Amino acid sequence: MTQKKKTVKKSNLSKIHWPAVILILSLVLIAIPTVAIGKVLYDAFAATGTPAFGNRFEMDLDPAITKDQLSELEGKLSSETLVEGVKVTLISASLRVNVDVNDDITLDQLNALAATVYNQVIAVFPRETYFKMKENSKMYDLELHIINNIELKDEESYKYLIFVLNSMMEEPIIQLVSDPKNPEFVTALYERLNAGSEESSGG
């Protein structure tokens, strides 16, 4: 009787398929880190395109530009002669002003308008307050884009001016993109800008 029980127990143990058991355990061990990595990748994918909240300019940009100021500037520029459309945006720490002007604008008119646009900007946002670095505090950068019609880019009548001023620059960079080899225009524009700055600061 005792001998029969021992034979049955031995027979049951011999039915376990050890290679299959090892395979299953291996798959489980592999699945654990795979699932963990997959979750991390999924979370990263799901977060794509969503804003990362926080303020990397915590010690900078003081005072901050407000929406009311942006609207005020847009209204002022929209009323200027030869201006057909204005878009004022604040992208991170850059104030960008896009001005669409009359297709038939001349270089002299563009020169005068560019100076006017800049003076309107610093009337709302004084340069020393908003576009000048303060000790170790970074302030805003300014970009002005004045263009008559991108569809005219292959025509002589095409006019596109870019004006860039960051908080660490003493003088802005002005480029007539539609005619980059026109130093006389840039010189004349600098003179207008300087004259406008003196009038707005000292009267």
Side-chain angles (χ1 to χ4, degrees):
M1 189 71 174
T2 305
Q3 184 65 34
K4 185 176 181 182
K5 286 184 179 180
K6 287 182 178 180
T7 305
V8 172
K9 186 175 181 181
K10 186 176 180 181
S11 176
N12 288 338
L13 288 174
S14 65
K15 289 182 180 178
I16 298 175
H17 197 270
W18 289 107
V21 172
I22 293 172
L23 178 62
I24 292 170
L25 290 175
S26 299
L27 290 175
V28 170
L29 291 174
I30 293 172
I32 292 171
T34 302
V35 170
I37 294 171
K39 186 177 185 308
V40 171
L41 293 175
Y42 175 78
D43 291 343
F45 176 78
T48 301
T50 59
F53 294 100
N55 186 3
R56 64 190 178 98
F57 300 110
E58 187 174 348
M59 304 300 292
D60 304 321
L61 309 182
D62 183 22
I65 289 176
T66 67
K67 289 183 179 179
D68 288 341
Q69 288 174 308
L70 297 178
S71 298
E72 179 186 353
L73 177 59
E74 199 165 282
K76 285 176 176 289
L77 296 179
S78 297
S79 63
E80 290 293 334
T81 305
L82 299 175
V83 172
E84 296 184 347
V86 176
K87 185 176 182 181
V88 180
T89 55
L90 186 62
I91 303 172
S92 188
S94 294
L95 177 65
R96 184 175 298 172
V97 181
N98 295 304
V99 182
D100 180 25
V101 297
N102 190 290
D103 289 359
D104 299 324
I105 194 170
T106 65
L107 273 179
D108 287 340
Q109 289 173 325
L110 181 62
N111 185 328
L113 180 61
T116 299
V117 169
Y118 174 69
N119 289 329
Q120 291 281 29
V121 170
I122 62 173
V124 178
F125 306 102
R127 180 177 178 183
E128 295 296 322
T129 304
Y130 290 93
F131 304 114
K132 197 79 170 177
M133 187 172 180
K134 302 172 184 177
E135 296 181 355
N136 296 321
S137 298
K138 177 175 168 41
M139 293 306 293
Y140 292 95
D141 301 332
L142 173 64
E143 289 182 34
L144 305 180
H145 297 260
I146 305 175
I147 185 171
N148 62 348
N149 191 335
I150 191 65
E151 294 181 1
L152 299 175
K153 64 182 184 300
D154 297 322
E155 306 291 334
E156 290 185 6
S157 58
Y158 179 52
K159 306 288 188 303
Y160 183 14
L161 180 142
I162 297 178
F163 175 111
V164 177
L165 176 67
N166 68 44
S167 61
M168 292 181 287
M169 291 167 57
E170 289 298 324
E171 295 293 336
I173 295 173
I174 303 170
Q175 184 177 6
L176 185 61
V177 179
S178 53
D179 188 9
K181 298 177 181 179
N182 192 339
E184 294 83 5
F185 174 82
V186 175
T187 301
L189 182 52
Y190 268 121
E191 290 174 356
R192 284 181 179 268
L193 291 173
N194 291 333
S197 297
E198 290 172 4
E199 289 176 6
S200 62
S201 61

